Amino acid sequence: MWKPWVADTVSVVAMWRSRIDISRGLDGEPVVLACFDLGGEEIAASAHAVAVTATERFRTASMSLDEVLEFRELTALADELADLARRPGMRTVVLVPARLSAYRDAVARFVETRDDAEWIREEDREPLARLRGLLVSLEDLCAEALRAALSPRTAPHPC
């Protein structure tokens, strides 16, 4: 699945080339996309964190409809990141604001629960170190993407 983690501490540079792209869809509606580049290790760590967070969060036997939808979104995101991680090297990640928020929330929950825990699983050590350094950049990009999505210049034009 993912490569075995080999280090307790890694130095992580925040995401590269983060930007917001606003274009028009086929129907003329504005489309806001958050774009950023991550190395293969950060993408693999992200896939691990999102998958673990989804598993831990939705471990209960019964879920509401909203929880089922959130679980599906996190599972799809984890699969997308895992697919990107299978190819080595730097990759551009492109997410709509809602999916970026889900990604940020999953990474934040992963980091927070590991920081609060008395012990940590070996397979969580390197992803935790990599994602802790990425979290601030993710939060900033998420805020920028939401501002862009709610901006009057991206509002749909009246017919």
Side-chain angles (χ1 to χ4, degrees):
M1 195 162 195
W2 293 287
K3 73 173 185 113
W5 307 111
V6 294
D8 272 342
T9 46
V10 292
S11 60
V12 177
V13 177
M15 66 179 68
W16 298 90
R17 296 180 352 113
S18 63
R19 61 214 175 271
I20 301 298
D21 178 57
I22 302 172
S23 57
R24 296 277 172 202
L26 294 175
D27 58 356
E29 294 292 314
V31 177
V32 176
L33 298 171
C35 309
F36 54 96
D37 296 344
L38 289 177
E41 293 82 8
E42 286 74 28
I43 294 173
S46 295
H48 175 80
V50 172
V52 167
T53 298
T55 300
E56 290 174 354
R57 170 125 165 57
F58 299 105
R59 183 175 294 181
T60 60
S62 65
M63 290 188 273
S64 70
L65 180 58
D66 289 340
E67 290 172 327
V68 169
L69 294 174
E70 185 180 348
F71 178 66
R72 285 183 63 198
E73 182 67 22
L74 287 176
T75 302
L77 178 58
D79 290 346
E80 181 180 337
L81 291 167
D83 185 51
L84 284 173
R86 285 185 183 93
R87 293 168 280 178
M90 188 75 73
R91 295 277 176 240
T92 299
V93 180
V94 180
L95 301 171
V96 296
R99 188 164 273 193
L100 179 65
S101 292
Y103 175 45
R104 182 219 41 219
D105 291 347
V107 168
R109 184 179 178 99
F110 179 81
V111 170
E112 180 181 304
T113 56
R114 275 34 185 197
D115 284 346
D116 291 345
E118 293 181 12
W119 61 272
I120 185 169
R121 296 181 319 177
E122 188 61 36
E123 62 267 18
D124 290 346
R125 289 186 188 280
E126 187 173 340
L128 177 61
R130 290 189 182 281
L131 296 175
R132 190 179 284 126
L134 185 65
L135 191 53
V136 171
S137 297
L138 263 178
E139 289 172 348
D140 291 345
L141 184 61
C142 191
E144 190 178 339
L146 290 176
R147 275 193 301 276
L150 298 174
S151 168
R153 67 187 170 117
T154 58
H157 296 294
C159 296

